Amino acid sequence: MINRCTPVALAAALLMAGCSFIPTYERPTAPVPAAYHSAAQEAATAGAQAAATLAWQEYFTDPRLQQLIGLALANNRDLQVAVLNIEQARAQYRITRADQFPTIHGGMTASRTPDTANSGYTNAYSVGLQTTAWELDFFGRVGSLKQQALAQYLATEEGMRATQVSLVASVANAWYTLLADEELLAISRRTLETREASVDLTRLRFDAGATSELDYRQAVSLTEAARATLAQQQRQRALDANALALLLGQSLPPEVNAGLADTRLNQAPALAPLPAGLPSDLLIQRPDIRQAEQLLIGANANIGAARANFFPRIALTAQVGTASSELSGLFKSGSWGFSLAPSALLPIFDAGRNSANLDAAQVGRQIAVAQYEKAIQTAFREVSDALDSQASLREQDRAQRAQLEAETVRLKLSDLRYSNGVSSYLDLLDAQRTLFALEQSVVQVRLAQVQNQLLLYKALGGGVASPTPLASTAQAPGTPR
């Protein structure tokens, strides 16, 4: 074997190693105001723990809700897919990183060829190790691709955290919706029983000639309307239970389902107020923003790989081993040798392929910048919506409770006046309709308040510091399994 590479050439090549054409990364300026419009909220939450560092077990103190969230984190298929995506991205990173190192093969050959000069045959045997076309990454092409794969891995990991935050908030929202459904069902059942009794009483008064058929028909109409509302709410309750079961990845536990009928939304443990902080905090609190930034970093690294394509691609083929014309001569003194064969491939004409590839990489970075900025703007809007809704929802709840109290008294007075013949049955029916609608509205506003708190918890990256049971399966890149 012949040594085809001089030490001087090798030294010169090694001096060129480590070059990179990746542009210097600078985080884009956040395209949102420096503070939220609702500043009064900060005074009410002074000293409260930030949502991102507040584990969901500490924020949701209801034991039944904690059980449901735990089941969802263990069984939800979307979260499982997100975790498996991390494993896939991790494996892809390891594949790309492996391109920086030579692939070494072991081989053995044996040949027998005719020897016309000696009227016989010539034998050749060889055993050795070899690497073929190992790219020496002088211009950072492979290194840039490795950086892109690493950013993709980290983005996938942040995507899993974003899925976790969304799942926890969705399970809590579905749970509180079920509690509201049960409360609405209780109101409808109670109202239906009252109206059925009213129909019976009105029928007796009509038969006795004390009232007109119009009053009786109005009472029947109002009763059937309550019955239709009850059927609608029963259907909605079943649909909401199915939605929760999908989030859990299994049926609702029997012990939880059995106690729902005796639970009301206003009996659920209160959710603690959360400090919003500054919009700049979202850059480190929100996993979806961190995911978008990693994708931007990956797009930036792609530019380095595209630039490197304009420079020579240098590869090395090497072999070391033993060769002999006799099988018994292998591994003997004098049979050992090695060869080194570097090669350089310089692009001269590619019909604009490399230029187009660089243009595509630069446009890809611009797209990633726009997506990153859109993620920040979306997060700012979600937090602002939650903050701006808090005061109005509180005032709406207060006003409707006061109205409910007034309508309850009005119904009692209307019933008394009708019984004494002072007012018409129409006044009583109007009071019943108004009270029934208002009782439902109070529950719905209370649910809207809870959902608004959940929106703020999710928008602030709540519970992102709390790992999922499945997250332990995702290892860091390059760690042995």
Side-chain angles (χ1 to χ4, degrees), residues 362-376:
Q362 291 173 337
V363 173
R365 180 176 62 177
Q366 294 174 0
I367 294 173
V369 169
Q371 292 173 335
Y372 174 67
E373 293 175 340
K374 176 64 179 298
I376 296 175

Side-chain angles (χ1 to χ4, degrees), residues 23 64 79 85 87 164 211 218 248 283 303 328 371:
R64 292 172 298 177
L79 186 58
N85 284 338
E87 285 293 305
Q164 175 192 347
T211 188
Q218 287 176 330
L248 299 181
L283 302 184
I303 294 179
S328 59
Q371 292 173 335

Side-chain angles (χ1 to χ4, degrees), residues 108-192:
M108 183 176 77
T109 61
S111 64
R112 182 178 176 86
T113 57
D115 186 354
T116 56
N118 298 320
S119 301
Y121 293 90
T122 300
N123 299 324
Y125 304 94
S126 66
V127 177
L129 302 176
Q130 65 178 11
T131 180
T132 304
W134 169 41
E135 182 176 349
L136 302 178
D137 195 27
F138 295 150
F139 302 103
R141 189 188 73 88
V142 178
S144 298
L145 294 176
K146 186 191 76 168
Q147 292 299 320
Q148 190 276 334
L150 176 60
Q152 182 65 44
Y153 167 82
L154 297 176
T156 307
E157 198 170 49
E158 295 296 347
M160 184 276 296
R161 293 192 178 97
T163 302
Q164 175 192 347
V165 171
S166 178
L167 177 61
V168 170
S170 296
V171 171
N173 181 73
W175 167 252
Y176 289 117
T177 301
L178 270 184
L179 295 184
D181 288 340
E182 291 293 345
E183 191 165 353
L184 291 172
L185 283 172
I187 293 173
S188 296
R189 292 191 184 101
R190 184 176 66 250
T191 301
L192 181 59

